[in-house]
Amino acid sequence: MRTQFKLLFAGLSVVALAAGQAQAQEAPAEPEAARSGGIGEIVVTAQKKAENLQTVPIAVTALNSAALDRTISPDLKALNGSVPSLVVTSVVNSGLVAAVSIRGIGVQEADGFLDPAVGTVVDGVYQGSNTTALLDLFDIEQIEVLRGPQGTIFGANTIGGVINVTTKKPDVDDFAVAGKVTVGNYGRADAMAAVNVPLIEGALGMRLTAMHKGVDGFYRSTADGRRLGGQNVNAGRLAFRYESGDFDATLTTELARGRNDGPVVVNYSTPGIVSTDPDVPSIPGMPTYVEGESHSLNDPISFRVGGKKGYSDFNVFGTTLAMNYDAGPVQLTSITNYRKFKLDEYTDQDGTTQEIFDTRRVTKNWQFSQELRGTVNPTDNTELLFGAYYLTKNYKLDQDGMYLFAGDYRGLLLNDQDDKSIALFAQGYINVTDALKLTAGVRWTDQKKTMAIANRSYIFGDYTGPWVPQKASASWSHWGWRLGLDYRITNDHFFYVSYVRGAHSGGFSGRTVVLEPYGPEKVDTIEAGIKTSWFDRRLQFNLSAFTTTYNDLQVDTLSYLDNVSISTIVNAGKAKIDGIEAELTLVPIDGLTLSGNLSYLDARYKEFMCDADGQAALPEDFVDCTHLKLRNAPKLQTGARATYEFALAGGKATLFGGWSHTSVRHTDTRNALVGRVPKLDLFDASVKWEPEDGRWNVSLWGKNLSNEKYRASGYFAAQAGTAGFENFVVLGAPREWGVTFGFEF
């Protein structure tokens, strides 16, 4: 396999050089406009400037608002199946937290003490926690998914890539109103409306957007027959935009309020193993196992669970001021953001009718960030982007773990983490010729984290002792860089090669009783790609190949204190990830668009010592675990979509069909069977009609049309000396269908 990747890299280079030699003259500096009936130009901001997607030396996929509307999904999970090497799923027992992986690199953690490895950026603002990553997206202009390390421009904690979200901005010239209403099965009732008002024509505009999402949930209680997993979310965004000559400013304020059911846990715990051999001890079952209620991996998947409804109540406030000024020799940008979030969540963690294990978790976090950057052209053939970035954030957790199977025993845990970082960055571009460009960038980051934790126990109506507090600090400085060459072979053929270094922050585990830091991860990626257009831009084909060395891997594992197992995070591994990604778009006739994507990953540990089965009693029982698979790194992902627009009944009809395939992936570090997600094929479809003036439309849509029932994520909670504590699972959504009515004028 590794030889094949070397050959592919060489092949891409030969193709680029051969095509370049075939040209009688150098390629023009500007691409042609898209021809009628072909594939239009897509503008992205992957390098913090507006560029044609086909001439950006990064593997990037862009979905505009029309493509997102066809997904009928209000959060980042809408991207699944449309982007190579991307996996987005929920974290078990935490409904708002996203487990996002790109190219096999990501984080699967419910708590905010661990930084993301794939950065989510909304309107230029880095979201410092995965805790709110699955909040609803609405009034979106475009989403770009950048694959591979992006630390030079976007900063640390983007070693997997970046999901770059752009919301719709106020228009200073035109009045507009738009909205949509959706109803569907499982009690779904969504609504969104936006109004744009030019307060001072040509100078000041306002855009007000509001949305509601309501759904009863697709789980059902075995205790009382009620639906579980329901959501009731309201959100709004108010933005003002001012334009005057070479200056513009956009002030955005966002509010969100959710009063949802608690996360639904599907219990896959196992009974004990009774030994008939007197020399082999029996293994006690999981304390969360309930006969007749705990699910088995051999049983058909069921959405019927016994757990209590719980609650998941959150509030979000955020405000951002973005300013741009063209001062002639330098273009300046300032982005200032403040954001806070509170989540109060009660979860029946055992998911049965028995009183075994519940938690109440109150999470609070806030962040403040400031970015200042400028762009200059020192000479006619050079460009320099430079800037500084500051981020300070705080994360708090107040957790009450109610271990009801052990009587009225409660484990109380407090986390309070401060995180401050400052970065300086620069990236330069040199046009060696009209067709050949050199890119070189560097970023220095200095970060300090201070974590305070406290533990206390409570049993039979009284505390067993005082709070046991601990506090520690750690600092890290690290460098990231990008070196690249790109060559415009023709107006329609573009080749690039790059070497990128990225880093993922170190920190502290908030779940341990011994407060020790883990260090940063480092990623080195070499990538080559070619982006092509053919047949008057009716065919677009992009191909990339990469090899990634992943050092000082952060792994959640069991550690030991006086032979007692404790959960912690350590730098325990090294991995190698090779991959190929391809994207194709074809417009064979006017109105018909066919598209597809494919990714193939060869992800493997090179070094990894772990407690493989959770049964070890001593540190020396750690074994070689390099045979295990990396989490959320499926070997094969592919998807295909077709959209056909045609005149019908005095208006326009749009037919859409989509298919995605994901091979086997693992969501548990130790590759426990409960975290093995079998290969999965999903089918979506929609039909839409709108009158000739396009002022309104109606769509009938369906998702997961074959009604596949599958485990989306699973986790094995180990417990030394036993079969474990619990097997947790979250299920993927079953078949969904509905009708959407939209309007715009």
Side-chain angles (χ1 to χ4, degrees), residues 87-171:
V87 175
V88 183
T89 187
S90 299
V91 172
V92 176
N93 76 353
S94 189
L96 293 177
V97 181
V100 184
S101 292
I102 297 178
R103 295 180 173 178
I105 298 176
V107 166
Q108 186 159 308
E109 172 56 57
D111 293 332
F113 58 77
L114 185 63
D115 291 312
V118 174
T120 300
V121 177
V122 180
D123 292 335
V125 177
Y126 167 73
Q127 309 295 297
S129 171
N130 275 342
T131 306
T132 59
L134 284 184
L135 286 179
D136 302 283
L137 302 173
F138 60 99
D139 206 28
I140 301 300
E141 184 70 35
Q142 183 165 282
I143 295 181
E144 305 163 19
V145 181
L146 288 59
R147 304 187 294 278
Q150 306 296 327
T152 309
I153 292 180
F154 286 96
N157 306 324
T158 59
I159 58 173
V162 168
I163 298 177
N164 191 23
V165 181
T166 304
T167 64
K168 293 183 178 180
K169 301 296 184 292
D171 188 321

Side-chain angles (χ1 to χ4, degrees), residues 1 59 73 86 205 228 266 370 426 516 688 741:
M1 186 66 208
S73 183
L86 173 70
L228 300 175
V266 185
Q370 174 65 59
E516 294 183 353
K688 175 182 175 181
F741 174 79

